[in-house]
């Protein structure tokens, strides 16, 4: 429920604008363009058939969209969760196109007040999609305001103050709310349960990554060899966003060296400049592994000790460095601390036996 004065929002019917007195400006609902206007949008698949990977999630989403199109109106809301850069925003664009509505994009961090959300909701129409990225960062008051919208398509507001205050229920168009988060556990139970469809998006396989790289190269009109596409896929940490970023940097290097095609030889120069090794590890990743394997002789090390040794923030280690190393099996978390696995030691070209460390953990 939202408390506001009568003059806080004013709808201008001719232009569809909403006046937000707190910000002193109009808020517009900008429809999604028919043609992409940026490089990022141009790389996004425009239909669910073009989407590569995430077969289980895409199959479920296709059934959902077919049901909505046959009914003629939305009835459920969708929540995507998983690591960053793997297609949550892209799928929201696809959903809006499939439902033949406009897409309104916002983030949980920008919805600091209930009035911000009210301004957006009152300017939508049937079949529109409201995409809230990082939805776990919404304040509690804004989150609770969403409850009646998601269940009954009504917005509860209180107009005026004191004895003259009165309650009003504003009808909201039949919209679809799509939330995205990298931290599902930070969502409250009541909000999470109001999403009719929860879909987890996971890291991609190397073959899927190679297909994404080839598709992006074709859209950007970049000449790319098959070997180069696979090399980029192997070093992109199984994340399309990183793969597209590497592809663009490779294009920059090719243009600066007057090279007509991106091949393995050019990529060797690029990865030397970017300090990315054969499996996508950056310089800080290698420093992390060497700190455990060499500095601490691969004895179990706590995150606080590693933070001091690397002069890196604890959250940087836990949220940026360690997830990928755990994913590829280079490190192992134990009750006593982190150790490098035999696979990780082999990658570092260190001949150490971890059996002694395991004996220490047992005893």
């Amino acid at each position: 429920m939202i408390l506001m004065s009568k003059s806080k929002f004013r709808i201008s019917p001719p232009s569809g604008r909403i006046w937000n007195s707190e910000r002193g400006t109009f808020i517009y609902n900008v429809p999604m363009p028919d043609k992409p206007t940026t490089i990022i949008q141009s790389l996004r698949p425009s239909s669910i058939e073009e989407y590569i990977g995430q077969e289980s999630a895409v199959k479920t989403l296709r059934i959902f969209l077919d049901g909505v199109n046959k009914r003629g109106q939305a009835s459920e809301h969708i929540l995507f969760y998983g690591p960053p850069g793997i297609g949550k925003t892209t799928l929201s664009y696809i959903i809006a196109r499939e439902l033949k509505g406009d897409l309104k994009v916002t983030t949980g961090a920008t919805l600091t007040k209930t009035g911000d959300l009210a301004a957006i909701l009152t300017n939508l129409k049937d079949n529109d999609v409201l995409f809230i990225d990082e939805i776990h960062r919404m304040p509690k008051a804004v989150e609770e305001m969403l409850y009646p919208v998601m269940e009954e398509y009504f917005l509860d507001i209180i107009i005026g103050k004191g004895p003259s205050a009165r309650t009003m229920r504003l009808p909201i168009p039949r919209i679809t709310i799509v939330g995205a988060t990298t931290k599902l556990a930070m969502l409250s139970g009541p909000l999470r349960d109001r999403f009719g469809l929860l879909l987890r998006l996971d890291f991609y396989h190397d073959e899927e990554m190679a297909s994404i790289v080839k598709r992006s190269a074709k859209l950007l009109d970049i000449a790319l060899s098959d070997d180069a596409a696979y090399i980029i896929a192997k070093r992109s940490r199984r994340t399309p966003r990183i793969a597209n970023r590497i592809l663009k940097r490779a294009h920059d290097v090719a243009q600066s060296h007057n090279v007509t095609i991106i091949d393995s030889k050019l990529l060797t120069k690029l990865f030397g400049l970017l300090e990315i090794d054969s499996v996508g590890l950056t310089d800080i990743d290698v420093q992390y592994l060497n700190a455990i394997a060499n500095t601490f002789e691969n004895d179990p090390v706590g995150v606080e000790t590693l933070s001091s040794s690397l002069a890196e923030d604890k959250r940087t280690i836990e949220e940026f460095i360690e997830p990928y190393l755990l994913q590829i099996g280079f490190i192992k978390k134990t009750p006593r601390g982190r150790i490098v696995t035999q696979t990780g030691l082999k990658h570092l070209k260190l001949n150490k036996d971890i059996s002694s460390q395991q004996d220490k953990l047992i005893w």
Side-chain angles (χ1 to χ4, degrees), residues 96-343:
R97 290 184 182 276
E98 294 289 337
L99 297 181
K100 299 177 177 59
D102 293 333
L103 178 69
K104 179 68 177 180
V105 181
T106 186
T107 64
T110 59
L111 298 174
T112 57
K113 301 176 182 178
T114 54
D116 298 333
L117 182 60
I120 296 173
L121 291 173
T122 53
N123 203 31
L124 297 176
K125 58 183 182 297
D126 287 342
N127 294 332
D128 281 356
V129 175
L130 173 60
F131 176 64
I132 307 177
D133 199 9
E134 297 299 312
I135 193 172
H136 64 270
R137 299 182 62 185
M138 279 197 313
K140 188 66 176 177
V142 179
E143 175 187 317
E144 291 177 350
M145 182 183 179
L146 267 181
Y147 294 167
V149 175
M150 298 177 71
E151 288 184 327
E152 303 170 343
Y153 296 96
F154 277 99
L155 176 63
D156 293 332
I157 63 173
I158 297 178
I159 298 178
K161 296 181 180 179
S164 61
R166 60 192 180 90
T167 303
M168 178 181 294
R169 290 204 109 188
L170 295 179
I172 299 298
R174 304 286 294 192
I175 64 172
T176 299
I177 296 176
V178 179
T181 179
T182 56
K183 300 178 180 179
L184 182 63
M186 292 186 65
L187 261 69
S188 66
L191 177 61
R192 188 172 60 246
D193 293 342
R194 281 173 169 82
F195 286 98
L197 193 62
L198 273 70
L199 296 176
R200 170 172 169 76
L201 304 184
D202 209 342
F203 291 105
Y204 288 71
H205 302 298
D206 289 341
E207 294 77 12
E208 295 170 342
M209 289 301 307
S211 299
I212 292 173
V213 172
K214 291 177 182 178
R215 177 184 178 276
S216 297
K218 183 178 180 181
L219 291 174
L220 295 174
D221 197 22
I222 299 174
L224 181 74
S225 67
D226 291 339
D227 290 342
Y230 190 75
I231 292 172
I232 293 175
K234 289 287 289 184
R235 303 195 188 200
S236 59
R237 303 169 80 103
R238 304 177 183 177
T239 306
R241 182 181 295 166
I242 297 177
N244 289 329
R245 188 168 63 208
I246 293 175
L247 178 63
K248 294 169 189 174
R249 299 295 75 77
H251 190 212
D252 294 339
V253 174
Q255 289 181 325
S256 66
H257 288 78
N258 295 320
V259 177
T260 58
I261 185 171
I262 298 175
D263 55 14
S264 58
K265 184 178 179 180
L266 184 140
L267 289 178
T268 301
K269 295 180 181 179
L270 173 66
F271 292 131
L273 293 172
L274 298 179
E275 296 183 324
I276 299 176
D277 71 4
S278 59
V279 294
L281 300 187
T282 61
D283 181 59
I284 187 61
D285 297 323
V286 176
Q287 290 182 35
Y288 174 93
L289 293 173
N290 278 320
I292 300 176
N294 292 322
T295 306
F296 300 102
E297 299 181 344
N298 209 26
D299 286 331
V301 187
V303 67
E304 296 286 355
T305 304
L306 286 169
S307 176
S308 300
S309 176
L310 298 173
E312 288 287 350
D313 180 63
K314 177 182 174 182
R315 288 190 61 184
T316 301
I317 293 175
E318 292 181 325
E319 299 180 14
F320 177 73
I321 299 175
E322 291 183 340
Y324 181 63
L325 295 175
L326 287 167
Q327 184 77 15
I328 61 178
F330 275 20
I331 63 171
K332 179 168 60 174
K333 288 185 178 182
T334 71
R336 294 182 57 192
R338 281 79 166 159
I339 63 172
V340 181
T341 63
Q342 200 69 53
T343 305

Side-chain angles (χ1 to χ4, degrees), residues 73-90:
Q73 62 180 9
S75 60
E76 296 285 357
H77 308 284
I78 306 170
L79 177 64
F80 295 119
Y81 68 99
I86 57 173
K88 296 185 289 292
T89 304
T90 297

